[in-house]
Amino acid sequence: MFTGYYPIILYPPLVRRLYTKDSTSREHLKASFQGCVQLPNGNGTAKQGVSEKQFFRHLLCAFLENLICQAVEFEIPGSPRRYSADFILYHRFSGLALDIEIDEPYAGDTGKPHHCVDVDDDKIRNRFFLERNWGVVRFAEVQVVRHPWSCCKAIAQIIARLTGDDSVFMLLQRLADVPLQKQWTKREARLMAKNNYRQSYLPKMGN
């Protein structure tokens, strides 16, 4: 469900169906996910910005027991295009797979609006991953730059809630929750670009 604020958290349909049956054991989850989660088809070629590089280090540190990859691609049936995930996290004990995205309001080189709430591109992309039993977690770029550990806490809380594995969440639970960030419209994104909003939190414009 979209609330109009980041972080945006969308649970995979398979998990929701399992919860309606009161079957939440990790063993049952892993058996259910087997063969139901589409795997990536290769590594992406998209340029990684400074925010992605920094947050990747935090993810690797926080989720040591899990598989975390950066910039992998998924084929889109009937299209020559591919979706490139900023990060994927695979929870080894349950099979839960998460697509983790960092959304910036505009491109640093052109000022073109990105990830706007009044454009359907992200909704279509989210649906692609949900239909393949991926969970989707979207953070605003300012959140991962200013509050990276709180963003890790949010991910850990999702894993704990869906799988029962609270090992990472217990380590991070005393941290503050990540502050909410309002989603932006195309008009707001253009104004942000005009005012060089991203320069207020990025150490340098890397993308």
Side-chain angles (χ1 to χ4, degrees):
M1 175 180 293
F2 286 91
T3 62
Y5 290 87
Y6 288 97
I8 297 166
I9 299 169
L10 303 172
Y11 294 156
L14 182 58
V15 169
R16 295 200 300 266
R17 289 197 298 271
L18 288 173
Y19 264 69
T20 62
K21 299 177 183 178
D22 296 324
S23 300
T24 59
S25 72
R26 277 182 273 178
E27 294 77 10
H28 188 76
L29 272 175
K30 192 161 189 175
S32 299
F33 274 121
Q34 190 71 35
C36 294
V37 177
Q38 178 178 318
L39 300 178
N41 306 106
N43 294 325
T45 57
K47 181 181 177 182
Q48 299 301 299
V50 61
S51 59
E52 285 93 342
K53 293 174 183 177
Q54 291 176 348
F55 192 51
F56 187 43
R57 290 193 287 268
H58 284 82
L59 289 173
L60 290 174
C61 184
F63 300 96
L64 290 172
E65 300 299 321
N66 301 282
L67 175 64
I68 301 171
C69 298
Q70 186 177 21
V72 295
E73 289 189 339
F74 294 78
E75 291 181 354
I76 305 173
S79 172
R81 296 176 56 244
R82 290 172 170 240
Y83 282 132
S84 179
D86 286 342
F87 311 98
I88 60 171
L89 187 153
Y90 178 77
H91 185 250
R92 293 184 185 276
F93 298 117
S94 69
L96 175 69
L98 299 176
D99 166 38
I100 302 170
E101 298 295 323
I102 299 178
D103 290 356
E104 70 280 0
Y106 59 89
D109 53 353
T110 65
K112 180 181 178 181
H114 274 186
H115 307 293
C116 302
V117 70
D118 51 349
V119 177
D120 288 337
D121 290 354
D122 283 348
K123 298 182 182 70
I124 295 170
R125 187 186 186 284
N126 292 341
R127 191 180 311 126
F128 172 90
F129 281 90
L130 292 171
E131 288 174 351
R132 288 153 180 81
N133 281 307
W134 285 77
V136 178
V137 185
R138 308 189 79 102
F139 296 106
E141 183 181 54
V142 65
Q143 291 174 314
V144 300
V145 172
R146 290 181 172 170
H147 311 281
W149 288 114
S150 293
C151 291
C152 289
K153 175 189 173 182
I155 297 168
Q157 192 169 23
I158 295 166
I159 293 172
R161 183 176 297 151
L162 297 184
T163 72
D165 177 9
D166 63 357
S167 56
V168 178
F169 179 68
M170 293 297 290
L171 295 174
L172 302 177
Q173 64 177 332
R174 294 185 180 274
L175 296 177
D177 291 341
V178 58
L180 296 180
Q181 177 71 30
K182 187 178 179 296
Q183 292 179 263
W184 47 83
T185 64
K186 287 176 67 176
R187 181 178 179 276
E188 290 168 334
R190 292 191 187 100
L191 185 60
M192 289 178 179
K194 182 178 179 180
N195 294 330
N196 293 318
Y197 168 69
R198 293 178 68 199
Q199 290 183 346
S200 70
Y201 59 82
L202 284 178
K204 60 181 179 179
M205 291 303 292
N207 53 336

mmCIF file of all heavy atoms in Angstrom, residues 104-114 193 198 205 207:
data_model
loop_
_atom_site.group_PDB
_atom_site.id
_atom_site.type_symbol
_atom_site.label_atom_id
_atom_site.label_comp_id
_atom_site.label_asym_id
_atom_site.label_seq_id
_atom_site.Cartn_x
_atom_site.Cartn_y
_atom_site.Cartn_z
ATOM 1 N N GLU A 104 15.991 8.826 -6.083
ATOM 2 C CA GLU A 104 16.397 10.226 -6.085
ATOM 3 C C GLU A 104 15.342 11.034 -6.836
ATOM 4 O O GLU A 104 14.691 10.517 -7.739
ATOM 5 C CB GLU A 104 17.772 10.398 -6.730
ATOM 6 C CG GLU A 104 17.815 10.163 -8.228
ATOM 7 C CD GLU A 104 17.857 8.703 -8.622
ATOM 8 O OE1 GLU A 104 17.860 7.849 -7.730
ATOM 9 O OE2 GLU A 104 17.876 8.428 -9.843
ATOM 10 N N PRO A 105 15.140 12.292 -6.476
ATOM 11 C CA PRO A 105 14.069 13.076 -7.104
ATOM 12 C C PRO A 105 14.369 13.526 -8.531
ATOM 13 O O PRO A 105 13.443 13.843 -9.277
ATOM 14 C CB PRO A 105 13.908 14.273 -6.167
ATOM 15 C CG PRO A 105 15.235 14.407 -5.496
ATOM 16 C CD PRO A 105 15.773 13.020 -5.363
ATOM 17 N N TYR A 106 15.653 13.565 -8.897
ATOM 18 C CA TYR A 106 15.998 13.989 -10.255
ATOM 19 C C TYR A 106 17.414 13.524 -10.571
ATOM 20 O O TYR A 106 18.200 13.200 -9.678
ATOM 21 C CB TYR A 106 15.903 15.519 -10.405
ATOM 22 C CG TYR A 106 16.815 16.291 -9.464
ATOM 23 C CD1 TYR A 106 18.119 16.624 -9.820
ATOM 24 C CD2 TYR A 106 16.365 16.690 -8.213
ATOM 25 C CE1 TYR A 106 18.954 17.322 -8.958
ATOM 26 C CE2 TYR A 106 17.186 17.400 -7.347
ATOM 27 C CZ TYR A 106 18.475 17.712 -7.728
ATOM 28 O OH TYR A 106 19.303 18.401 -6.871
ATOM 29 N N ALA A 107 17.717 13.475 -11.864
ATOM 30 C CA ALA A 107 19.057 13.085 -12.301
ATOM 31 C C ALA A 107 20.030 14.237 -12.074
ATOM 32 O O ALA A 107 19.722 15.387 -12.398
ATOM 33 C CB ALA A 107 19.038 12.705 -13.772
ATOM 34 N N GLY A 108 21.183 13.918 -11.533
ATOM 35 C CA GLY A 108 22.138 14.968 -11.201
ATOM 36 C C GLY A 108 22.704 15.681 -12.413
ATOM 37 O O GLY A 108 23.023 16.863 -12.349
ATOM 38 N N ASP A 109 22.817 14.970 -13.560
ATOM 39 C CA ASP A 109 23.436 15.591 -14.727
ATOM 40 C C ASP A 109 22.447 16.369 -15.578
ATOM 41 O O ASP A 109 22.818 17.364 -16.208
ATOM 42 C CB ASP A 109 24.151 14.534 -15.574
ATOM 43 C CG ASP A 109 23.251 13.359 -15.931
ATOM 44 O OD1 ASP A 109 22.112 13.288 -15.415
ATOM 45 O OD2 ASP A 109 23.682 12.510 -16.734
ATOM 46 N N THR A 110 21.181 15.957 -15.604
ATOM 47 C CA THR A 110 20.203 16.607 -16.482
ATOM 48 C C THR A 110 19.093 17.336 -15.733
ATOM 49 O O THR A 110 18.406 18.179 -16.318
ATOM 50 C CB THR A 110 19.539 15.572 -17.399
ATOM 51 O OG1 THR A 110 18.759 14.652 -16.602
ATOM 52 C CG2 THR A 110 20.586 14.796 -18.196
ATOM 53 N N GLY A 111 18.886 17.001 -14.439
ATOM 54 C CA GLY A 111 17.775 17.592 -13.695
ATOM 55 C C GLY A 111 16.429 16.962 -14.013
ATOM 56 O O GLY A 111 15.386 17.439 -13.540
ATOM 57 N N LYS A 112 16.425 15.885 -14.803
ATOM 58 C CA LYS A 112 15.171 15.229 -15.180
ATOM 59 C C LYS A 112 14.520 14.597 -13.947
ATOM 60 O O LYS A 112 15.170 13.892 -13.189
ATOM 61 C CB LYS A 112 15.443 14.149 -16.225
ATOM 62 C CG LYS A 112 14.200 13.402 -16.679
ATOM 63 C CD LYS A 112 14.551 12.332 -17.698
ATOM 64 C CE LYS A 112 13.310 11.551 -18.111
ATOM 65 N NZ LYS A 112 13.640 10.475 -19.085
ATOM 66 N N PRO A 113 13.213 14.840 -13.725
ATOM 67 C CA PRO A 113 12.520 14.256 -12.564
ATOM 68 C C PRO A 113 12.562 12.728 -12.588
ATOM 69 O O PRO A 113 12.461 12.104 -13.647
ATOM 70 C CB PRO A 113 11.083 14.773 -12.725
ATOM 71 C CG PRO A 113 11.214 16.031 -13.507
ATOM 72 C CD PRO A 113 12.339 15.773 -14.471
ATOM 73 N N HIS A 114 12.715 12.132 -11.413
ATOM 74 C CA HIS A 114 12.740 10.676 -11.252
ATOM 75 C C HIS A 114 11.785 10.275 -10.134
ATOM 76 O O HIS A 114 11.588 11.019 -9.173
ATOM 77 C CB HIS A 114 14.148 10.196 -10.860
ATOM 78 C CG HIS A 114 15.049 9.956 -12.022
ATOM 79 N ND1 HIS A 114 16.311 9.412 -11.889
ATOM 80 C CD2 HIS A 114 14.896 10.168 -13.355
ATOM 81 C CE1 HIS A 114 16.898 9.325 -13.068
ATOM 82 N NE2 HIS A 114 16.053 9.775 -13.975
ATOM 83 N N ALA A 193 15.330 20.231 -8.350
ATOM 84 C CA ALA A 193 16.489 20.331 -9.241
ATOM 85 C C ALA A 193 16.924 21.781 -9.396
ATOM 86 O O ALA A 193 18.129 22.091 -9.378
ATOM 87 C CB ALA A 193 16.140 19.727 -10.605
ATOM 88 N N ARG A 198 19.666 18.031 -4.004
ATOM 89 C CA ARG A 198 20.509 16.871 -3.689
ATOM 90 C C ARG A 198 21.880 17.284 -3.161
ATOM 91 O O ARG A 198 22.505 16.547 -2.396
ATOM 92 C CB ARG A 198 20.660 15.968 -4.922
ATOM 93 C CG ARG A 198 19.352 15.291 -5.352
ATOM 94 C CD ARG A 198 19.543 14.441 -6.594
ATOM 95 N NE ARG A 198 20.376 13.290 -6.335
ATOM 96 C CZ ARG A 198 20.994 12.591 -7.294
ATOM 97 N NH1 ARG A 198 20.912 12.963 -8.557
ATOM 98 N NH2 ARG A 198 21.723 11.540 -6.971
ATOM 99 N N MET A 205 27.984 15.325 -6.195
ATOM 100 C CA MET A 205 26.990 14.818 -7.132
ATOM 101 C C MET A 205 27.597 13.676 -7.927
ATOM 102 O O MET A 205 28.371 13.879 -8.852
ATOM 103 C CB MET A 205 26.516 15.928 -8.074
ATOM 104 C CG MET A 205 25.696 16.995 -7.369
ATOM 105 S SD MET A 205 24.240 16.318 -6.534
ATOM 106 C CE MET A 205 23.269 15.816 -7.920
ATOM 107 N N ASN A 207 25.684 11.144 -9.431
ATOM 108 C CA ASN A 207 24.822 10.614 -10.475
ATOM 109 C C ASN A 207 23.784 11.647 -10.855
ATOM 110 O O ASN A 207 23.754 12.726 -10.296
ATOM 111 C CB ASN A 207 24.142 9.321 -10.022
ATOM 112 C CG ASN A 207 23.411 9.466 -8.714
ATOM 113 O OD1 ASN A 207 23.717 10.323 -7.899
ATOM 114 N ND2 ASN A 207 22.434 8.612 -8.495
#
